[in-house]
Protein backbone atom coordinates (compact mmCIF):
# COMPACT_ATOMS: atom_id res chain seq x y z
CA UNK A 1 0.00 0.00 0.00
CA UNK A 2 1.24 3.48 -0.85
CA UNK A 3 2.11 6.13 1.74
CA UNK A 4 -0.94 7.98 3.14
CA UNK A 5 -1.76 11.41 1.77
CA UNK A 6 -0.89 14.36 4.07
CA UNK A 7 -4.39 15.51 4.96
CA UNK A 8 -4.58 17.11 8.40
CA UNK A 9 -7.33 16.08 10.80
CA UNK A 10 -9.67 19.01 11.49
CA UNK A 11 -8.49 21.07 8.50
CA UNK A 12 -10.81 22.19 5.70
CA UNK A 13 -10.41 21.22 2.05
CA UNK A 14 -12.31 22.08 -1.09
CA UNK A 15 -12.52 19.34 -3.70
CA UNK A 16 -9.96 21.19 -5.83
CA UNK A 17 -7.56 21.18 -2.87
CA UNK A 18 -8.03 17.43 -2.58
CA UNK A 19 -7.45 16.83 -6.28
CA UNK A 20 -4.24 18.87 -6.13
CA UNK A 21 -2.94 16.87 -3.18
CA UNK A 22 -3.79 13.64 -4.99
CA UNK A 23 -2.17 14.88 -8.19
CA UNK A 24 -5.22 14.26 -10.36
CA UNK A 25 -7.28 16.57 -12.62
CA UNK A 26 -10.69 17.73 -11.47
CA UNK A 27 -13.13 15.15 -12.93
CA UNK A 28 -15.89 17.82 -12.88
CA UNK A 29 -18.45 15.27 -11.74
CA UNK A 30 -19.02 11.58 -11.24
CA UNK A 31 -18.46 9.66 -8.02
CA UNK A 32 -16.05 12.28 -6.64
CA UNK A 33 -19.06 14.59 -6.38
CA UNK A 34 -21.74 12.15 -5.23
CA UNK A 35 -20.59 10.66 -1.95
CA UNK A 36 -17.74 8.18 -2.22
CA UNK A 37 -15.22 6.80 -4.65
CA UNK A 38 -12.00 4.82 -4.88
CA UNK A 39 -8.60 6.15 -5.87
CA UNK A 40 -6.04 3.43 -6.40
CA UNK A 41 -6.20 1.29 -3.25
CA UNK A 42 -7.77 4.08 -1.20
CA UNK A 43 -11.35 5.21 -0.61
CA UNK A 44 -12.68 8.73 -0.22
CA UNK A 45 -16.00 9.59 1.44
CA UNK A 46 -17.60 13.05 1.28
CA UNK A 47 -20.68 13.44 3.44
CA UNK A 48 -22.98 16.09 4.80
CA UNK A 49 -23.90 16.15 8.48
CA UNK A 50 -27.68 16.39 8.78
CA UNK A 51 -27.95 18.02 5.35
CA UNK A 52 -29.16 16.71 2.00
CA UNK A 53 -26.60 15.67 -0.59
CA UNK A 54 -26.46 16.65 -4.24
CA UNK A 55 -29.01 13.92 -5.03
CA UNK A 56 -31.48 15.59 -2.67
CA UNK A 57 -31.51 12.74 -0.17
CA UNK A 58 -30.73 13.25 3.50
CA UNK A 59 -29.98 10.09 5.45
CA UNK A 60 -29.08 11.98 8.62
CA UNK A 61 -25.38 11.28 8.81
CA UNK A 62 -24.32 12.31 12.30
CA UNK A 63 -21.58 12.05 14.87
CA UNK A 64 -22.19 9.97 17.96
CA UNK A 65 -19.32 11.03 20.16
CA UNK A 66 -16.25 10.71 17.97
CA UNK A 67 -17.81 8.01 15.76
CA UNK A 68 -19.71 8.82 12.56
CA UNK A 69 -22.99 7.16 11.62
CA UNK A 70 -23.06 7.27 7.82
CA UNK A 71 -25.50 6.13 5.15
CA UNK A 72 -24.61 5.00 1.63
CA UNK A 73 -26.26 5.97 -1.62
CA UNK A 74 -29.86 5.11 -2.46
CA UNK A 75 -30.10 1.37 -3.13
CA UNK A 76 -26.75 0.58 -1.52
CA UNK A 77 -26.35 -2.54 0.60
CA UNK A 78 -23.68 -4.30 2.61
CA UNK A 79 -22.95 -6.84 -0.14
CA UNK A 80 -22.08 -4.36 -2.88
CA UNK A 81 -18.41 -4.63 -3.93
CA UNK A 82 -17.73 -0.95 -3.17
CA UNK A 83 -19.22 -1.18 0.34
CA UNK A 84 -17.43 -4.45 1.07
CA UNK A 85 -14.14 -2.96 -0.14
CA UNK A 86 -14.30 0.23 1.91
CA UNK A 87 -15.49 -1.53 5.08
CA UNK A 88 -12.71 -4.12 4.87
CA UNK A 89 -10.51 -3.70 7.98
CA UNK A 90 -7.45 -3.37 5.73
CA UNK A 91 -8.97 -0.54 3.67
CA UNK A 92 -7.65 3.00 3.93
CA UNK A 93 -10.63 5.36 3.98
CA UNK A 94 -10.28 9.15 3.96
CA UNK A 95 -13.45 10.66 5.37
CA UNK A 96 -14.51 14.30 4.89
CA UNK A 97 -17.65 15.98 6.21
CA UNK A 98 -19.42 19.36 6.22
CA UNK A 99 -22.53 20.98 7.71
CA UNK A 100 -23.31 23.24 4.75
CA UNK A 101 -23.17 22.26 1.08
CA UNK A 102 -21.56 25.62 0.29
CA UNK A 103 -18.65 25.03 2.65
CA UNK A 104 -15.39 23.18 2.22
CA UNK A 105 -15.09 19.72 3.75
CA UNK A 106 -13.38 19.02 7.07
CA UNK A 107 -11.06 16.02 7.16
CA UNK A 108 -12.30 13.75 9.96
CA UNK A 109 -9.40 11.31 9.62
CA UNK A 110 -8.67 7.83 8.39
CA UNK A 111 -11.81 5.84 9.11
CA UNK A 112 -12.37 2.22 10.07
CA UNK A 113 -15.78 0.53 9.86
CA UNK A 114 -16.82 -0.85 13.24
CA UNK A 115 -20.34 -1.90 12.25
CA UNK A 116 -22.25 -2.38 8.99
CA UNK A 117 -26.04 -2.46 8.97
CA UNK A 118 -27.84 -4.65 6.42
CA UNK A 119 -30.45 -1.94 5.80
CA UNK A 120 -31.08 -0.29 2.45
CA UNK A 121 -29.37 2.12 2.08
CA UNK A 122 -26.47 0.62 3.96
CA UNK A 123 -25.51 2.24 7.26
CA UNK A 124 -21.92 2.17 8.54
CA UNK A 125 -20.49 3.37 11.84
CA UNK A 126 -16.99 4.73 11.26
CA UNK A 127 -14.41 5.01 14.00
CA UNK A 128 -11.30 7.15 13.97
CA UNK A 129 -9.09 5.00 16.16
CA UNK A 130 -6.21 6.25 18.25
CA UNK A 131 -3.84 4.06 16.26
CA UNK A 132 -4.65 5.91 13.05
CA UNK A 133 -5.88 9.32 14.14
CA UNK A 134 -4.93 10.98 17.39
CA UNK A 135 -7.49 13.07 19.25
CA UNK A 136 -5.28 14.63 21.94
CA UNK A 137 -7.91 17.22 22.77
CA UNK A 138 -9.81 14.57 24.72
CA UNK A 139 -8.94 14.69 28.42
CA UNK A 140 -8.21 11.04 29.37
CA UNK A 141 -9.39 11.09 32.99
CA UNK A 142 -12.78 12.50 31.92
CA UNK A 143 -13.38 10.04 29.10
CA UNK A 144 -15.26 6.84 29.81
CA UNK A 145 -16.94 6.09 26.47
CA UNK A 146 -19.44 3.55 27.81
CA UNK A 147 -20.09 5.19 31.17
CA UNK A 148 -23.76 5.84 31.85
CA UNK A 149 -25.66 6.83 34.96
CA UNK A 150 -29.04 5.24 35.61
CA UNK A 151 -31.66 6.75 37.90
CA UNK A 152 -34.75 4.58 37.80
CA UNK A 153 -36.13 4.56 34.26
CA UNK A 154 -34.31 7.76 33.29
CA UNK A 155 -30.96 7.41 31.55
CA UNK A 156 -28.32 10.12 31.57
CA UNK A 157 -25.47 10.23 29.07
CA UNK A 158 -22.18 11.69 30.25
CA UNK A 159 -20.85 14.99 28.99
CA UNK A 160 -18.02 13.17 27.23
CA UNK A 161 -20.29 12.18 24.33
CA UNK A 162 -20.69 15.85 23.46
CA UNK A 163 -17.09 16.86 24.09
CA UNK A 164 -15.91 14.05 21.79
CA UNK A 165 -18.07 15.19 18.87
CA UNK A 166 -15.58 16.77 16.41
CA UNK A 167 -18.31 18.80 14.75
CA UNK A 168 -19.31 20.37 18.07
CA UNK A 169 -15.64 21.03 18.81
CA UNK A 170 -15.18 22.74 15.45
CA UNK A 171 -18.17 25.03 16.02
CA UNK A 172 -16.93 25.93 19.49
CA UNK A 173 -13.45 26.84 18.26
CA UNK A 174 -14.81 28.75 15.28
CA UNK A 175 -16.52 31.13 17.71
CA UNK A 176 -14.05 31.22 20.62
CA UNK A 177 -10.69 30.58 18.98
CA UNK A 178 -7.78 28.47 20.22
CA UNK A 179 -6.70 30.47 23.28
CA UNK A 180 -7.57 29.10 26.73
CA UNK A 181 -10.70 30.79 28.08
CA UNK A 182 -9.15 30.83 31.55
CA UNK A 183 -5.47 31.74 31.21
CA UNK A 184 -5.29 32.81 27.51
CA UNK A 185 -2.48 30.33 26.78
CA UNK A 186 -2.32 29.38 23.06
CA UNK A 187 -0.30 26.34 22.04
CA UNK A 188 0.80 27.57 18.61
CA UNK A 189 2.47 30.61 20.21
CA UNK A 190 4.58 28.40 22.45
CA UNK A 191 5.13 25.35 20.22
CA UNK A 192 4.69 26.61 16.67
CA UNK A 193 3.33 24.10 14.16
CA UNK A 194 3.47 21.32 16.75
CA UNK A 195 0.86 23.09 18.85
CA UNK A 196 -1.30 24.38 16.01
CA UNK A 197 -4.97 23.49 16.52
CA UNK A 198 -4.41 21.84 19.92
CA UNK A 199 -6.74 22.76 22.79
CA UNK A 200 -9.22 20.95 25.01
CA UNK A 201 -12.90 21.82 24.99
CA UNK A 202 -14.84 22.15 28.24
CA UNK A 203 -18.57 21.76 28.80
CA UNK A 204 -20.08 24.57 30.86
CA UNK A 205 -23.21 22.74 31.98
CA UNK A 206 -23.04 20.53 35.07
CA UNK A 207 -23.17 16.81 34.34
CA UNK A 208 -26.42 16.25 36.25
CA UNK A 209 -28.26 18.67 33.95
CA UNK A 210 -27.57 16.65 30.82
CA UNK A 211 -30.21 14.11 29.85
CA UNK A 212 -30.64 11.61 27.07
CA UNK A 213 -32.54 13.98 24.78
CA UNK A 214 -30.22 16.91 25.37
CA UNK A 215 -29.24 18.95 22.30
CA UNK A 216 -25.88 20.68 22.62
CA UNK A 217 -25.34 24.31 21.65
CA UNK A 218 -21.57 24.25 20.96
CA UNK A 219 -21.12 28.01 20.58
CA UNK A 220 -22.68 28.80 23.96
CA UNK A 221 -22.01 25.68 26.04
CA UNK A 222 -18.44 24.71 25.14
CA UNK A 223 -15.26 26.70 25.75
CA UNK A 224 -11.64 26.12 24.72
CA UNK A 225 -9.38 25.51 27.72
CA UNK A 226 -5.77 24.34 28.06
CA UNK A 227 -5.17 20.93 29.70
CA UNK A 228 -3.91 22.50 32.94
CA UNK A 229 -6.98 24.68 33.37
CA UNK A 230 -9.27 21.86 32.24
CA UNK A 231 -7.90 19.62 34.97
CA UNK A 232 -8.27 22.38 37.58
CA UNK A 233 -11.87 23.10 36.55
CA UNK A 234 -12.66 19.47 37.37
CA UNK A 235 -10.61 19.47 40.56
CA UNK A 236 -13.69 20.45 42.59
CA UNK A 237 -17.17 19.01 42.76
CA UNK A 238 -19.27 20.64 41.50
CA UNK A 239 -16.99 21.73 38.69
CA UNK A 240 -15.54 25.21 39.01
CA UNK A 241 -16.77 27.87 36.63
CA UNK A 242 -14.32 29.58 34.31
CA UNK A 243 -14.80 32.81 36.27
CA UNK A 244 -14.05 31.06 39.56
CA UNK A 245 -10.83 29.58 38.21
CA UNK A 246 -9.79 32.96 36.78
CA UNK A 247 -10.29 34.47 40.24
CA UNK A 248 -8.05 31.80 41.78
CA UNK A 249 -5.32 32.55 39.25
CA UNK A 250 -5.66 36.30 39.80
CA UNK A 251 -5.12 35.86 43.52
CA UNK A 252 -1.57 34.74 42.80
CA UNK A 253 1.01 37.32 41.89
CA UNK A 254 2.97 35.21 39.37
CA UNK A 255 1.29 35.17 35.92
CA UNK A 256 0.13 31.82 34.68
CA UNK A 257 2.23 32.20 31.49
CA UNK A 258 5.38 32.39 33.60
CA UNK A 259 4.36 29.28 35.46
CA UNK A 260 3.99 27.40 32.17
CA UNK A 261 6.89 28.79 30.13
CA UNK A 262 9.36 30.06 32.72
CA UNK A 263 11.21 33.37 32.49
CA UNK A 264 12.79 34.18 29.15
Amino acid sequence: MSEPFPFRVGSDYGRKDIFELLGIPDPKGGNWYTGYTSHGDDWFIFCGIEIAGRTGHNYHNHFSGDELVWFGKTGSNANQPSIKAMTNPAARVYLFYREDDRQAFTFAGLARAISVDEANPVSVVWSFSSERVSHPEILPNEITPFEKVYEGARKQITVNTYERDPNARKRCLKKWGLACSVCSFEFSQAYGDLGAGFIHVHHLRPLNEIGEKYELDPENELRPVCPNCHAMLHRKSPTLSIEELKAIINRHSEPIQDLVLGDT
Side-chain angles (χ1 to χ4, degrees), residues 54-72:
R54 288 176 176 265
T55 60
H57 296 284
N58 181 0
Y59 296 119
H60 304 295
N61 303 316
H62 62 277
F63 282 102
S64 177
D66 54 2
E67 295 169 351
L68 177 68
V69 181
W70 170 86
F71 295 86

Side-chain angles (χ1 to χ4, degrees), residues 152-197:
R154 182 169 178 260
K155 181 174 70 174
Q156 291 185 325
I157 299 177
T158 69
V159 63
N160 301 305
T161 298
Y162 307 113
E163 291 188 350
R164 290 167 67 96
D165 183 335
N167 207 39
R169 171 182 166 82
K170 180 181 178 183
R171 289 171 60 187
C172 166
L173 299 184
K174 183 177 180 180
K175 177 170 182 177
W176 298 105
L178 290 163
C180 177
S181 297
V182 179
C183 70
S184 300
F185 182 81
E186 189 165 349
F187 282 87
S188 62
Q189 293 181 2
Y191 301 103
D193 289 343
L194 179 64

Side-chain angles (χ1 to χ4, degrees), residues 28-103:
K28 306 294 185 181
N31 288 337
W32 283 103
Y33 284 82
T34 56
Y36 49 90
T37 190
S38 61
H39 175 67
D41 295 327
D42 301 327
W43 286 88
F44 287 77
I45 295 177
F46 303 92
C47 68
I49 301 299
E50 295 290 356
I51 59 171
R54 288 176 176 265
T55 60
H57 296 284
N58 181 0
Y59 296 119
H60 304 295
N61 303 316
H62 62 277
F63 282 102
S64 177
D66 54 2
E67 295 169 351
L68 177 68
V69 181
W70 170 86
F71 295 86
K73 299 174 183 177
T74 302
S76 62
N77 63 72
N79 293 316
Q80 287 181 332
S82 59
I83 301 299
K84 292 179 72 173
M86 73 172 69
T87 57
N88 186 309
R92 190 159 61 195
V93 181
Y94 296 83
L95 198 149
F96 298 81
Y97 69 93
R98 63 183 177 185
E99 286 186 285
D100 187 317
D101 62 8
R102 295 180 298 276
Q103 295 177 343

Side-chain angles (χ1 to χ4, degrees), residues 165-232:
D165 183 335
N167 207 39
R169 171 182 166 82
K170 180 181 178 183
R171 289 171 60 187
C172 166
L173 299 184
K174 183 177 180 180
K175 177 170 182 177
W176 298 105
L178 290 163
C180 177
S181 297
V182 179
C183 70
S184 300
F185 182 81
E186 189 165 349
F187 282 87
S188 62
Q189 293 181 2
Y191 301 103
D193 289 343
L194 179 64
F198 182 89
I199 195 73
H200 286 190
V201 292
H202 170 65
H203 202 293
L204 298 180
R205 291 191 62 178
L207 179 62
N208 59 9
E209 292 183 11
I210 298 176
E212 184 179 10
K213 299 296 185 181
Y214 177 71
E215 183 176 349
L216 178 71
D217 179 355
E219 291 88 350
N220 293 315
E221 297 179 36
L222 294 178
R223 291 293 188 278
V225 292
C226 72
N228 282 354
C229 290
H230 203 177
M232 293 300 102

